[in-house]
Every structure is written in C-alpha cells, then in structure tokens.
Amino acid sequence: MSGSTELVNLSSLLNSCITACSSHLRGCEEIIVNNLRESVQRVISHVQNEKESVQAFSEENTLTSECLMSLLTVLGDCDSILCSEILSLFNILALERSPAVLLYGLGALDTLIHLLDEHTHPLQVLNLIGKITKHIKCGAHEERVDRLLTIVTNNVLTNDMTLKPSLYTMVNLTSGSVPVQMHLRSLDRSGMLRKKILKLVCHDDNEVSIGALAALTSTGMADEFNKLISSDKNLDQILRLCFSMIITVCSSETFSYVVDLLIHFLNNKRVQQFLINNDSKLDSFVSKTACLLTKCQGHHLSKLFELLLALASIPTIRILVTRVVFAPVQTSDGEEEELLQRIFSMATKLVSSDHGASVLALKLITYIYESLSVDASQAGSTCHLNFQFLTECLTQNELTHERSCVRSSSADKILASLCLLEVLVTSGAFSSGVLSEIEPSTITDIVDYQLQKNPVAFNWNNKLREEEVGASQSALWSKTGVEIVLKAISVIIEATERNESYTTCLHDYLQKTSLVPFLATGLSSTASSQVQLSLKIITKADSLSLLQTTVLSDVMSSINNRRPHSESPRNTQTLTFDAPLVDDCKLTLRDSLRDNIVLASPGSSPRGDANVIPSSQSCNGDLAERLQHLKVEGDNHMSDIISVYELKLKAQKTKEAHLDDLVQAKTMALSQADRLIHQYKSRLAQVDSESQKLRSIVHESERRSESYREKMNEMLVDRERLHTEMERLLQDSRKLDDTLRTLASVKRELVTLNDIHTTLTQFTDNLKQQHRELESEYSLLKETERKKSLTITEKDTKISELRKNIKKLEEQISQQREENKRLEKSLKEKEEKLKKIFDTLK
C-alpha cells in the first residue's frame, strides 16, 4: 500500500513539474520561475527521502520521460539558480542506471555540452556527464564524443576545479573503446596530455590520483602503465592507495573507479605475482574487504562483490578468499556468525532491489565451492551447511517484472544459481546433501517456464531474425533463457548419475520437441559454453536411445535455416573448448554435427586453418562419405536424415552448376574492367607522382609546425612553472627573514630562561632538604599517633565496661525506684488508715 502511495505522490509531483515547465516555456516571469523551482525542489526532496522512487525513472515510464524531457528543454534557457536546481536533480537520478539511460536517450549530452560551452555550472555539468557516460558507452563516430574529449583534455591540462570529473569522464569515454582511444591519441595536445596524466598520478588529492591511474589504464597507454608498475616501490604505493580507499569506503563515485582500477590491476600477471609474494598484506586486505560486506549497501556492495570475484578468479588467491569467508564476523546483535552465512542471505535478495549484488554473491559462492570441491579436507568440515537458500534463489522468478533490466537480472540470477547447483552436484562432498534438499520440481519448473514463455520457443517456427526477436521487451532475457534451459538439463544429467529420482525428468525432456529450438540455438551460438551444453545433451540422449531421428533432423535443419539470417557467416568463426565434450565412442554423433562446428581438444590453439569451419563444398563431400559409411553399417536411426540430406545434396549440385555459369559471365566482365582500369592507371600515374611530391612537402611542413607548436607550448609551460617557482622562492625568502628575527628573540629568551632555571634548581634543592626533614618528623608523628591510638583503644575498652556497669546500676536504680513507689503507696494507705482511726477516736 505504501509503494502505491509513493507512486501516486511522485506522479502528482511530476505532473506539477511538467505543468510548470510548460508555463516557463510560454513566459519567464518571476512567479513562473519560482513555481518551477519549487516543483523541482519538491521532486528532489521526494527522491532523496524515497530512494526506491528513483527506479521509476526509466524508459518504460512515459510520465518520467515526459518530465525529464521538459526539464531538459528548460535547462537550455533558464537562470543560473534554476539551472543549478535541475542539475542537482539530474545528478541524484543519474546515480542509477535506468535514469542515466533515459537521460542519454533524451539527448541530455547535447544540452550539457551546450552548457559547458557557455561556462554554466561546469562542475555540476561534468559530474552529470561522468555519471551518464559511466552507464552508457558512446561510439567514436558520435560528434559529441569528439567535443567531450576536447573539453576534458583542456580541463586536465589547465588543472582547474573540474579536474577530477574531467578525468572520470575521460575514463568513461575511452574505457573498452579502441576507436575512442585512437581518436584521443590523434588530438593535437595528446603528447602534453600523456605527460600531464603521469604527473597527476602523484597528486596530493587521492581521488585525483585514482582518476589519473584510471585514465592511464583506459586510454591505451600500455607502455606508460607497464613502466609505472615495473618498480616494486611504485606498485606497492599504488596498491596501498587503492586498498586504503576501499577499506575506508570513499565516496560512491570514486569507490566504483577504485574497484575497477584494482580489477584491471589484478588482470596483470606482474601484479598477481607481486600480491602472491606479499601474501601478508593481501591477507589483511581481503579480510577487511570481506568484512565490509556486512556494512555496505547498494552500489558499494555490488562493487565489493566484483572485487572479491576478481580476487577469487586467481587460483592462488581463491584459497585465501575461501578461508576468509568462513571466518566469523560480528553481527549487529553482537553475535558471531560465519561471513558465508551473510553472503547466503545476500544471495536470496530480490534482484529488483539489490543492484545486482545477489547475482555476484552467487558467483562468489560458486568460486568458493569449486575451491572446496578440490580441497577435500575443507569440504568435509563444511558438509553440514544447509543449502536451502539455493532453493529460494531458484524459485525467485522476476521474469514478469515491468522493468526490462529486472527481467534480465532475474534470468542472470537463475543461471548463476544453476551454475552453483552444478558445482555442488558434481562435487562428491556436497552432492548428496544438495540433492536431498532440492526437489526435482524446482528445476523442472524453471525449464517448463522457459519452454512455454521464451520467445526462442514460440518464434522458432516462424524463422524470425534474431534481431527481430530481440527487439521486443519480452525477449530481453531470451538469450540467457536458452542457456538456462541447457544448464538446467545438464544439471539433471549430472543429478541422474547420483539420484534416480531425476531419471524420469531427464527422459521426458530429451523426448520433447519443444527442446529443439534451444538445442539449435545453443549449437549455432558463438559462445562455446552453449555449444558444449548442447552437445552434452544430444550425446546423452543418443546414448539412451531417446533422441528420435526426426528430432535430430529438426535440430540440424533449424541450424541450417538460421545461417542465412545471422549477422556474420559461421564459416569465418572458430570455436574452441576447454574440455572434451564427448567420448571417442560417440564419433557417429560428433561426425554428424561436424559440418556445423569444429571441436578443439584442450590446449589447442585457435589459430591456423585446422580449427576453421570448412567450406560448404568440403562439408557436403565429407557428409556424403559419412552418410554412405552409415548406410554400409546399417544404422537405422540415421536413415531418415540420410534421405533428407541426399535431396539437399542434389539441390546443392544444381546450385553449383548455376554458380559456375555465373562465374564465367563475371570473369568476362572483370576482364573488360581490367582494361579500363589499366587506361585510368596510366593517366593517373603523373598525377600521383606530383601529388606525392606535394604531399611530402605538406607533411614536412606540418611536422615542423607541430614540433614548433609543441616546443612553444612546452616553453610556455616552463615559463609559467618558473614564474610560479620564483614567486614561491620570494615567499620562502620573506619567511626566512621572519624566521631569523624570531630566532634572535628566542635566543634572548633562552638566556633569561637559563637564569631562571638556575634559580629554580637551587630552590628545588632547598625544597628537597625540607622534604626530607618533614618526612622524618612525619615518621615520628606517625609513631606517636600509633601509641595514642593504642591508648585510645584501651580507654575505649574501659569505657565500654563502665557503660555496662552504668547500665546495670541504672537497672538497679529503676528497680529501687519502683520499690520506693510501692512503699510510698503502702505508706499512704497506712496513713489513711491511721487518719481514719484518729477520726474514729475523736
């Protein structure tokens, strides 16, 4: 109920903001501007208080798109204060991927570049550009990229206040894009930029140093980078800087760049060897980093998992990571539990709210249990763990979520869970425990959902192009869904060997024709993992005699029908695998598929012609020979396929005859074209020679002017540096004069203080003598006091005895008084009697 209320509140705020923008476009009166500013401030306050509302800003939400488009329109023509408010809102939203993608799609970069040209809030604008380009990779052909590279290059060289966001933007633009890197190196001031970045590595601000290091690694300066890390001292300082900034959890933006930089370092063999040699430092860092998993949230948590995955990908360090995650950590309640249990709980969170941390957590757990499956001693000590969390991960299906990124992440999570399950099932230490806790229906539900809902299944019969299938929102997770199906059936195959309850499920799926599109997609995929899984499934079905000839024919026919629609010819690709897929006893099945893929043994190199997919003619010849061989052996299972392919071979021969005629015609046309080309070549020979001379003259002049320009720029930089140094020396000289005067006064004070010190020393000696005398008197007084205390104790004893006697006397006196009272009473009675007697006598 609260979630719907938040959406209603956000919708009302966005509608009011859109209305205010429309009014602002019609007129810029002060009342209208103030109204728009208040609307933007209310949206900022709502987004800051309700973090989950940021996810509503996506391409699927037309209201948020309209609001951001209106604000971008106003941003190009508004006053400075309103512009700052709108930029603040965009900076808050751009921290998440969905709003950043939306801003990029609405053309925000063009508006922001216009603001930079007008020098309007350059710091806020560059921060926003850095956040957008962090999520979106821009192509080198875009004009805005050229403009942005020029702007950030000038900012880095001038060393102004926008230095840090300029470095980060440069990293975002060049990271992983070779064309952009080449374009950056082709700029006029690229040489000065390279030197400047190397100087900024030693900057006083750690965040600027991180930005410079990231720029060094992302801009393709391999020689400078290798030279920098060739020294153990430099490498140690860089790693210390990265480690300290990660452990102290710096700002969200810088933290992401630090982790990416460290992951890039970990891919370098030199850095890996350095870390292995300094295992004590690495142990401390990994322990502290793993403990941060219990404190960080959101993007910080995801980046920490990425870093731990990078560390765990190194076999030697993976053992260290495994030991650390089994160490106890203190919870918020003050109790201790294993860090792995916390990672289990993180893996069970929904992908719609964890920024991808659950998928990364599952991958880390997979690495850990791969390491444990190798080390039997550690595996035996952890067999008691409850893997019920894996069932929860497998049953979390968010493939129907309204946001496409959540659907894609949900498919990735299911795939990661299946990868972990496969590792556990194939491990002897964990297989029995896992199979006893996870029901077969948990896996079959995943496969059935994909067979029914995946676009690959219901679009296959229509032979749609792959890009047409991927254009719909429902197919964003379809490619991952194919691997999910293949991985799930692979897990069932492994589980069948250890638990007979999975046998029925396996036989049912292997006989289903709805599995054909997924097997065909896997076999025709460029990813070797999908090809391996598909061949594993087909090999298993063939060994159980469950693979019907029609099913196998449909698989191969589907692959052949898909080839004309693929983006690149399959005969130019090479597939290599890390492990053998089938045994030697399955040569018949492998030969029947060899015209579609090429299998390479472990350790074989992908280079050379041996691994390249053969041409159509050679494939057809080999296929005919193998089919003839199968006929001689009397293979009844392949008879239907043979008849189909014999017809295809005849059609192929007819096509080859037509192609030969076409080749002859083209040959004649080419001979005529050669004669024309020869005529034009003779005419262009003189022109080419003259143009070559002119080109060499122009090139030489450009080279000289470039060298003169660089020398002039260097001289200007040196002049500026010398001027700055001269001013600094003058300031130092003035400071030294002040220091000399201060030193003279200090010397005079020192003489006075020496005299005072002598006087105080004599006075101290006198005080010490008096102290000794007083101590002796104190000892005498103490002895006297002791004697008096003894006397007082004796007197107290006597007083207590006297008090007892007095008490007895008081008791006797009280008794005597009572006796006196009694006697007085009797005396009075007798007197009265006497008085009466006297009265009687009278």
Side-chain angles (χ1 to χ4, degrees), residues 86 124 213 304 312 329 446 463 523 556 607 627 744 828:
I86 296 175
Q124 283 184 297
L213 286 169
L304 282 176
V329 294
I446 296 173
K463 302 295 185 296
L523 286 172
M556 300 176 72
R607 294 175 295 179
L627 293 178
K828 286 181 180 180

Side-chain angles (χ1 to χ4, degrees), residues 378-568:
Q378 291 187 11
S381 62
T382 55
C383 286
H384 63 279
L385 292 176
N386 184 9
F387 296 103
Q388 191 63 33
F389 83 98
L390 191 54
T391 303
E392 187 175 352
C393 294
L394 290 169
T395 54
Q396 288 178 354
N397 189 350
E398 295 182 80
L399 296 176
T400 58
H401 199 275
E402 59 182 3
R403 291 169 51 209
S404 58
C405 59
V406 175
R407 295 196 294 271
S408 179
S409 299
S410 178
D412 292 336
K413 183 174 183 179
I414 295 174
L415 180 60
S417 303
L418 289 172
C419 291
L420 173 58
L421 180 59
E422 185 178 32
V423 170
L424 296 174
V425 169
T426 55
S427 173
F430 307 107
S431 59
S432 59
V434 173
L435 293 176
S436 62
E437 293 189 11
I438 296 181
E439 297 294 333
S441 59
T442 305
I443 306 176
T444 57
D445 290 344
I446 296 173
V447 179
D448 292 339
Y449 184 87
Q450 293 293 333
L451 295 180
Q452 296 173 7
K453 302 293 185 180
N454 197 305
V456 171
F458 55 78
N459 285 329
W460 193 267
N461 292 332
N462 297 330
K463 302 295 185 296
L464 292 179
R465 292 178 180 266
E466 187 175 353
E467 57 269 18
E468 292 175 353
V469 176
S472 62
Q473 293 182 0
S474 61
L476 292 175
W477 49 268
S478 61
K479 292 183 179 179
T480 309
V482 172
E483 194 166 359
I484 288 174
V485 172
L486 299 177
K487 179 65 71 173
I489 296 179
S490 175
V491 171
I492 294 174
I493 291 174
E494 296 293 340
T496 304
E497 300 176 359
R498 297 164 177 83
N499 192 334
E500 295 182 355
S501 59
Y502 288 86
T503 305
T504 305
C505 302
L506 177 62
H507 291 182
D508 291 341
Y509 283 124
L510 292 180
Q511 296 180 85
K512 283 187 176 181
T513 57
S514 56
L515 187 63
V516 171
F518 296 90
L519 290 174
T521 304
L523 286 172
S524 60
S525 173
T526 58
S528 60
S529 59
Q530 294 190 19
V531 179
Q532 289 177 345
L533 293 173
S534 301
L535 287 175
K536 179 180 179 181
I537 295 169
I538 295 175
T539 305
K540 183 67 176 178
D542 184 64
S543 65
L544 297 174
S545 300
L546 295 175
L547 188 63
Q548 302 295 329
T549 55
T550 56
V551 176
L552 182 57
S553 177
D554 288 342
V555 173
M556 300 176 72
S557 177
S558 300
I559 296 172
N560 292 331
N561 288 333
R562 286 198 65 189
R563 281 183 179 176
H565 302 293
S566 58
E567 296 179 359
S568 60

Side-chain angles (χ1 to χ4, degrees), residues 258-315:
V258 176
V259 173
D260 292 341
L261 177 63
L262 196 52
I263 292 174
H264 180 83
F265 278 11
L266 291 173
N267 293 329
N268 188 281
K269 298 294 184 182
R270 166 92 171 87
V271 178
Q272 292 179 11
Q273 190 61 40
F274 180 83
L275 289 174
I276 293 171
N277 295 337
N278 297 271
D279 55 348
S280 59
K281 298 178 183 178
L282 181 62
D283 192 359
S284 174
F285 168 69
V286 173
S287 301
K288 293 178 181 178
T289 303
C291 291
L292 289 177
L293 293 176
T294 61
K295 303 175 183 178
C296 295
Q297 295 179 350
H299 292 291
H300 277 82
L301 185 60
S302 300
K303 299 305 292 185
L304 282 176
F305 273 120
E306 289 182 13
L307 178 57
L308 289 175
L309 281 171
L311 289 169
S313 63
I314 304 173

Side-chain angles (χ1 to χ4, degrees), residues 223-263:
D223 295 336
E224 289 81 358
F225 173 73
N226 293 330
K227 184 178 179 181
L228 183 65
I229 66 173
S230 61
S231 171
D232 288 346
K233 183 179 180 181
N234 291 342
L235 185 56
D236 182 63
Q237 291 178 351
I238 293 173
L239 292 177
R240 282 178 182 271
L241 174 62
C242 296
F243 290 168
S244 62
M245 296 192 73
I246 289 175
I247 293 172
T248 55
V249 189
C250 52
S251 63
S252 177
E253 185 178 5
T254 305
F255 188 83
S256 175
Y257 289 99
V258 176
V259 173
D260 292 341
L261 177 63
L262 196 52
I263 292 174

